[in-house]
Amino acid sequence: MMAIDDILENFELFDDWEDRYRFVIDLGRELTPFPEAERTEDNRVRGCTSRVWLTSRLEGSPRHLFLEGDSDAHIVKGLVAILLSIYSGKTPVEVLQIDARAILAKLGLEAHLSPMRTNGLFSMVERIRAIAADYALDSGVTA
């Protein structure tokens, strides 16, 4: 998975949004294959027009949150990849401290996505934050 700083850097290299969209779609193609068994209603993100699934696990000491995701729409799958590059591998507390809106604003996505896609993107952000908050609460850590 490409680091968010590398994604930001690559985005600046493209002159037009057609190329940026292709790049986002390519990011989605690089996601780890998502297990069919994980495409459940419990893992589905509400608020997305496309179908989006997210799973999470904690590993290591200190505990780090690792996320996997998928979508049935190419561009949305790329957006999932961007969010995973922002959040996955961080501690739950670090996840809660990240300002995803500011990072996504640097990419300029909000101005170039449909309102429905933008709502879905921020539904994914909220789902990831809720997952991190639950893990932080379970471990007795507060942000």
Side-chain angles (χ1 to χ4, degrees):
M1 178 176 9
M2 189 177 284
I4 190 60
D5 289 340
D6 294 333
I7 293 172
L8 288 164
E9 193 175 297
N10 275 289
F11 242 63
E12 291 176 14
L13 298 175
F14 298 116
D15 293 330
D16 63 39
W17 272 91
E18 195 70 32
D19 291 333
R20 288 179 180 153
Y21 284 132
R22 273 194 288 278
F23 177 67
V24 169
I25 290 168
D26 287 343
L27 289 172
R29 288 187 179 123
E30 293 173 15
L31 283 175
T32 302
F34 196 77
E36 198 61 42
E38 297 294 342
R39 295 173 195 270
T40 65
E41 284 304 307
D42 284 346
N43 292 334
R44 195 149 166 229
V45 178
R46 306 283 175 254
C48 295
T49 305
S50 305
R51 294 189 309 165
V52 175
W53 300 272
L54 288 172
T55 60
S56 62
R57 68 187 185 288
L58 284 179
E59 288 183 7
S61 181
R63 308 297 264 164
H64 286 79
L65 178 64
F66 291 91
L67 301 157
E68 290 185 356
D70 199 10
S71 175
D72 59 358
H74 293 296
I75 195 108
V76 177
K77 191 171 183 166
L79 297 175
V80 169
I82 290 171
L83 291 179
L84 297 187
S85 73
I86 293 171
Y87 291 115
S88 198
K90 309 276 191 300
T91 68
V93 171
E94 288 171 334
V95 167
L96 294 172
Q97 294 170 342
I98 292 171
D99 184 355
R101 285 186 183 262
I103 295 168
L104 295 169
K106 287 180 188 176
L107 292 171
L109 288 171
E110 208 167 337
H112 291 88
L113 294 174
S114 69
M116 295 292 278
R117 281 236 164 91
T118 300
N119 287 342
L121 180 62
F122 291 119
S123 292
M124 288 186 270
V125 168
E126 290 309 311
R127 173 71 177 267
I128 292 167
R129 290 180 53 77
I131 290 167
D134 285 347
Y135 280 133
L137 205 58
D138 287 347
S139 63
V141 179
T142 55

